[in-house]
Amino acid sequence: AQGRKAAGRFVLLQARPSADAAAETKGLVRYGLTASKKVGNAVTRNRARRRLRAAMLQLLPLHGRPGFDYVAVARTATVTAEWPALLDDLTALFLRLSAKSAPPSVTIATATS
């Protein structure tokens, strides 16, 4: 809850640098999933988590930053969303968070004599 957040139509995605030093040095990308009771009953929440898990496993190798932890929070629409739309939404969130958490660009100045 202390990291950057980006909200989409179907998912809320949170990202922060990993507190585990080993994860950062090994280049690991960790993720977590959550679905509150607002999403629906147990069957609906489990389906939402299964869909998010499949989407995260597909997109993390492409868009996840090593040394970061991600949490995908299901919304009510996660369960009924079309698969390509869910992937597009999550991809946009990954890109938004990577732009927010990117290190500032460094300008190198050269001294002339």
Side-chain angles (χ1 to χ4, degrees):
Q2 299 169 355
R4 300 269 187 187
K5 297 175 184 138
R9 291 184 358 216
F10 309 120
V11 177
L12 172 76
L13 188 63
Q14 301 173 344
R16 68 178 263 188
S18 180
D20 185 11
E24 189 172 342
T25 58
K26 292 180 184 177
L28 298 178
V29 179
R30 301 185 311 178
Y31 74 98
L33 308 169
T34 186
S36 71
K37 284 191 174 185
K38 290 180 183 179
V39 173
N41 62 14
V43 173
T44 306
R45 292 193 308 269
N46 287 335
R47 181 169 186 202
R49 281 193 296 268
R50 282 194 307 271
R51 295 188 92 209
L52 286 178
R53 184 176 298 112
M56 292 292 276
L57 289 175
Q58 185 173 341
L59 296 176
L60 273 175
L62 302 173
H63 302 293
R65 292 184 58 197
F68 271 71
D69 295 336
Y70 294 94
V71 176
V73 180
R75 293 184 164 201
T76 308
T78 303
V79 178
T80 58
E82 294 289 327
W83 183 248
L86 180 64
L87 290 178
D88 289 343
D89 190 37
L90 202 51
T91 300
L93 297 177
F94 271 114
L95 294 176
R96 197 176 321 155
L97 286 176
S98 66
K100 283 183 181 178
S101 60
S105 59
V106 177
T107 306
I108 299 173
T110 57
T112 56
S113 45

